[in-house]
Amino acid sequence: MTTTALRGRGTLCEPRGLGSLIWLLVGSQAAFNVGFFVVLPYLAAHLAGTIGLAGWLVGLVLGLRTFSQQGLFVVGGALTDRFGPRPVVLIGCVLRVAGFAWLAVAQGTGPIIAAVLLIGFAAALFSPAVETEVARQAVLHERATGLPRTRVLGLFSTAGQAGTLVGPPLGALLLLGGFATACLAGAVVFTLVLVAHLRWMPRAGSAVGPQGDAGATSRERPRLGEGVRELLSHRPFLLLCLGYSGYLLAYNQLYLALPQEVERATGGQTALGWLLAWGSLLYVLVQMPVLRWIGDRLSRRAVLRTGLLLLATGFAAAAALTPVTAAGGLLPSVAFVTALTLGQVLIVPTVRAWVPDLVDGARLGLFTGALSSASGLAVLLGSMPAGALVDRGGPAAWLVMAAVPLAAAVFVPRPPRTLRTGAGAGTGGGRARA
C-alpha cells in the first residue's frame, strides 16, 4: 500500500500494517495498567484498614511508591540506551511479579514498604523501556508508510487508558476474595506480559536519530552516564520538560482538587469513581479521531499549546460553574474532567512524538526517562502549594490553578528546523512546520 493511500485513509484501519512489535508494545501498555490498577486504587484502604497503619504512614508508603517509580524513570531510560529494551523490560516484569506476590502476604511495615518500592522500581524499568521502543518504532513506521507517528503513539496511549478503565472495576471484583487475591491477579497479568516479551520482543533494537534514521547498534550503545551533560544543556528539551511539567501538575488535580470538589458538591466520594471512568472512556473514544483531525491542520507546537489551553479552560470552567447546583452540583467536576481529558489527548502523544526529533537516538531512553522524572519532580514540588489552594476552596482556587497550564504553554519550544520533509516534522508527519 502506498504512502498516499495510507494518508488518504487517515485512520488506524492501518493497524494491520503496524507490525507485531508495535502491537506487542501496545498490548503491554494495556496489560500493564490493568495489572497495576487492580491493586493501586485499593492499596491505601488496605494499609489503613486491614493492616492498621497510621494515616501519615500510609501517605509515606504511597509517596515512596511514586518516587521509586516516576522519580527513577531516568534510570530505566539510561539502562534501556545501554542494554536495549528487551532485558530492561524483562527484569521490570520479574520485579513487578515479585513485588505483587510479596505485597499479597506482607503484614509488617517493613515488608510492605519493601514490596511497594519493588513494585515502583519495576515500573521505573518497564515503562521507559517500552515508551522508548514504541517511539522508535513509530518513527520507523512513519518513514516507511507516511503514517504520522502520533497515530501510533496515540494508539499506545489509548491502550493505556483502556487498561486504566478496566483495572479498577476488575480489582473491585477481585477484592471479594480479599486484597491478596487482587495482588496475585496483578502478578499473573505481569507474568503473561513477561512471557509475551520473552517470546516476541527482539533481542536487539535499532536506535533512531533526530531525523528518524536507523542509528546505533548494540555495540555502539552509550555507557551509563553518557549524555547527562548534553541533557542538562539541551535548551529545547528542557523547555519541553517545563511545558510537560505544567501538564502533569494540572493533570494531578484529578487526584487532589477533584476529590475535594466532589466532596463539596455531594458530601461523599461515590461520584469520583464515575468521573474518573468517564475520563478514561472519553480518552479511548476520542484519541484517534481527534489526532487525525487536528494533526492535519496544526503544527506539533500548536497542538501542544492547544492541549494546554484546554487544561486552563477546564479550570476556568470549574470556577465559573462552582455556584451551579444543577446535576447534583457535579457540573464543575464534569467540565473539569472533560476538558482535562481532551487536553491530555493532544499533549501526551504529541510530546512522545517530539522527543525523538530533539535527541540522538542512541540516548532516546535517557531523554524519555528524564522527561518523566523531571515532570514527577515538578508535581512533587507543586503539590504543596496546590494543596493549600484546594484547602482554601472556592472559584478563586480554580482560577489560580488555571495559570499553571497557561504558563506552561509559554515554554513550549519551536520544533527543530533541521527536520527533513517526510520525516514527520509536523504532527501530521507530512512536512516541517513551526
Side-chain angles (χ1 to χ4, degrees), residues 150-358:
T150 48
R151 307 282 177 83
V152 175
L153 295 168
L155 181 64
F156 180 79
S157 297
T158 301
Q161 285 294 327
T164 302
L165 182 63
V166 170
L170 178 59
L173 290 175
L174 291 167
L175 281 176
L176 296 175
F179 184 75
T181 302
C183 288
L184 293 176
V188 169
V189 170
F190 283 99
T191 300
L192 295 175
V193 174
L194 172 64
V195 171
H197 281 274
L198 276 170
R199 173 66 179 82
W200 288 298
M201 194 169 205
R203 292 187 176 276
S206 61
V208 177
Q211 289 81 39
D213 299 320
T217 66
S218 58
R219 288 176 295 180
E220 299 168 343
R221 296 188 185 279
R223 296 186 181 91
L224 291 176
E226 282 187 1
V228 173
R229 181 176 298 178
E230 175 190 349
L231 187 154
L232 295 176
S233 61
H234 198 306
R235 186 173 182 272
F237 176 74
L238 295 178
L239 289 174
L240 187 63
C241 285
L242 284 173
Y244 192 69
S245 295
Y247 149 71
L248 201 60
L249 181 56
Y251 180 78
N252 196 57
Q253 302 316 305
L254 278 178
Y255 309 105
L256 185 60
L258 182 63
Q260 295 270 24
E261 173 59 26
V262 171
E263 184 78 29
R264 180 200 66 80
T266 67
Q269 293 289 303
T270 304
L272 180 60
W274 291 105
L275 287 166
L276 295 177
W278 160 243
S280 294
L281 179 61
L282 179 63
Y283 194 105
V284 171
L285 292 176
V286 308
Q287 171 74 93
M288 302 313 298
V290 166
L291 277 182
R292 285 197 301 270
W293 186 86
I294 203 167
D296 293 334
R297 292 164 174 80
L298 298 177
S299 69
R300 195 172 291 155
R301 188 186 194 208
V303 171
L304 185 49
R305 283 183 159 178
T306 300
L308 290 166
L309 290 176
L310 276 170
L311 302 187
T313 301
F315 286 108
L321 294 170
T322 295
V324 177
T325 58
L330 287 173
L331 283 181
S333 299
V334 172
F336 173 66
V337 170
T338 301
L340 201 71
T341 301
L342 294 175
Q344 184 188 18
V345 159
L346 297 179
I347 292 167
V348 173
T350 301
V351 170
R352 285 177 174 162
W354 203 329
V355 174
D357 290 337
L358 297 176

Side-chain angles (χ1 to χ4, degrees), residues 68-69 72-73 75-77 79-80 85 87-93 95 120-130:
S68 64
Q69 178 173 324
L72 297 180
F73 262 45
V75 176
L79 290 171
T80 299
V88 180
V89 167
L90 295 180
I91 293 171
C93 287
L95 294 181
F121 183 63
L125 297 179
F126 179 95
S127 291
V130 170

